[in-house]
Amino acid sequence: MSTLRVALNDYLALRRSLGYKLERTGQVLTDFVDYAESTGTEHIQTDIALSFALLASNPDSQWRAARLGMVRSFARYLHAIDPSHEVPPTGLIPRGRGRPAPYLYSQDEVTALMSASRRLRSPLQAATLEAVIGLLAVSGLRVGEVIRLNNDDVDFCDAILTVRFSKGGKSRVVPIQESTVEALQVYLIVRDQWFPEARSESFFVSRAGQSLRSSSLGAAFARVSSLAGLPTRTGHNGPRLGDFRHSFAVQTLLRWHMDEIEVAPRLPTLSTYLGHVNPTSTYWYFSASPELLAAAVQRLTRYMEVDER
């Protein structure tokens, strides 16, 4: 069995341990290894990966780009172990626009964004955006779920949030930490100073005391992002409020790996926490983090070393 084929078996075993079925991907990558072996290739090279992808018969479909994408993911895994493997660059085969690449926030960037929020001219808007950013960063909630929180949905005594009728029409209860409870209580004091008589049932309010609007919230976040020195968003690239959710999911999985916790049994719990109707939706959040991939590779390497002893 060739080195490349052994590596493919390890790669598929790792990904499947995270919950991926990879039935079609497994077949495509097996075909790719067959093709690479027929050319005498021991390390993935861009030209070999591209020529394999172009073997797909229909040039007008997205299947060629999909095949190359599967090989690229395999190449990223191998490159983390052995840099002599080339990772084919994106854009070699055009394809329709999919989900935009997420921006993964560091803890320092979250702190900088919250600090920059306090520089907004309106004290209420500053307090609102700081609280919203903080809650998104530590809870993994969708932006719309935060906007729709009502006063009755925030239970300070039991430290829980009730998310009602979210995606798929489902509701769920989300536990929060004591530090988050304290931060929300501070925001509540500021909010009630501006509006002693509530103009809305919403927990987070606009400068007019009404429910937040996603467009206005996004515009305020763009200003704060610039003040914090984050990259400028262009088109579908760059920091967005929704990326806090992706960052939360990736950091959770990364922490599990670093703590040597079995990941696969916990994924359904994370899926429920995030409010995913289908657990397969959760797996997408783990596809764009080099740190997460490196942690998984290191862990797999340690297991392999133990097995060899």
Side-chain angles (χ1 to χ4, degrees):
M1 185 178 293
S2 70
T3 302
L4 200 57
R5 194 170 298 277
V6 171
L8 174 60
N9 291 338
D10 292 338
Y11 171 75
L12 293 175
L14 171 62
R15 297 288 303 279
R16 284 167 177 156
S17 73
L18 297 176
Y20 294 92
K21 293 185 178 180
L22 300 180
E23 294 176 356
R24 173 175 282 189
T25 299
Q27 184 57 59
V28 169
L29 291 179
T30 298
D31 292 344
F32 169 71
V33 170
D34 290 340
Y35 179 78
E37 289 176 343
S38 71
T39 64
T41 301
E42 296 182 357
H43 295 85
I44 295 180
Q45 299 172 0
T46 298
D47 58 341
I48 295 297
L50 181 60
S51 61
F52 167 77
L54 294 177
L55 291 176
S57 58
N58 185 359
D60 296 323
S61 72
Q62 296 189 15
W63 183 231
R64 289 182 170 184
R67 282 160 58 92
L68 185 58
M70 295 174 194
V71 176
R72 183 182 299 111
S73 296
F74 180 38
R76 282 203 305 265
Y77 163 83
L78 288 176
H79 184 79
I81 302 172
D82 181 358
S84 61
H85 289 280
E86 295 180 4
V87 179
T90 59
L92 290 178
I93 302 178
R95 66 184 304 172
R97 195 192 82 197
R99 289 182 173 184
Y103 185 92
L104 300 180
Y105 296 99
S106 68
Q107 184 55 53
D108 287 343
E109 287 175 326
V110 173
T111 301
L113 285 165
M114 295 177 68
S115 177
S117 298
R118 296 193 286 272
R119 296 165 60 185
L120 293 177
R121 185 171 301 177
S122 165
L124 177 60
Q125 185 183 43
T128 300
L129 191 56
E130 181 182 4
V132 166
I133 289 173
L135 182 57
L136 288 171
V138 301
S139 69
L141 293 178
R142 299 178 177 93
V143 177
E145 292 172 343
V146 169
I147 290 175
R148 291 193 300 273
L149 284 174
N150 285 338
N151 294 315
D152 292 341
D153 298 331
V154 183
D155 187 334
F156 292 123
C157 294
D158 293 331
I160 58 174
L161 305 176
T162 301
V163 179
R164 304 183 189 276
F165 307 109
S166 189
K167 198 169 184 178
K170 293 184 176 293
S171 300
R172 69 187 189 281
V173 173
V174 177
I176 54 177
Q177 297 180 352
E178 187 60 33
S179 58
T180 305
V181 170
E182 293 173 358
L184 294 178
Q185 288 174 326
V186 169
Y187 169 72
L188 192 62
I189 293 172
V190 175
R191 187 200 72 179
D192 290 350
Q193 286 176 342
W194 281 84
F195 297 103
E197 295 184 7
R199 299 184 181 180
S200 168
E201 295 181 355
S202 297
F203 184 82
F204 294 108
V205 299
S206 67
R207 285 176 288 181
Q210 302 296 328
S211 301
L212 293 175
R213 302 176 67 175
S214 58
S215 58
S216 299
L217 185 64
F221 177 74
R223 293 198 298 274
V224 166
S225 181
S226 177
L227 289 172
L230 268 66
T232 302
R233 182 183 175 192
T234 57
H236 295 278
N237 298 317
R240 298 162 298 173
L241 281 166
D243 289 331
F244 286 107
R245 179 172 167 85
H246 193 127
S247 299
F248 173 86
V250 168
Q251 288 300 321
T252 298
L253 192 65
L254 181 60
R255 185 168 59 252
W256 289 348
H257 273 294
M258 300 303 292
D259 292 342
E260 299 290 337
I261 293 172
E262 288 297 325
V263 174
R266 290 201 172 198
L267 282 179
T269 301
L270 179 59
S271 182
T272 300
Y273 181 90
L274 292 170
H276 285 147
V277 177
N278 190 328
T280 57
S281 300
T282 309
Y283 304 144
W284 175 76
Y285 285 89
F286 311 138
S287 61
S289 171
E291 295 83 2
L292 181 56
L293 180 60
V297 169
Q298 291 172 5
R299 191 173 183 185
L300 179 62
T301 301
R302 288 197 296 271
Y303 287 155
M304 294 171 62
E305 290 174 348
V306 170
D307 291 341
E308 291 174 354
R309 293 174 185 172

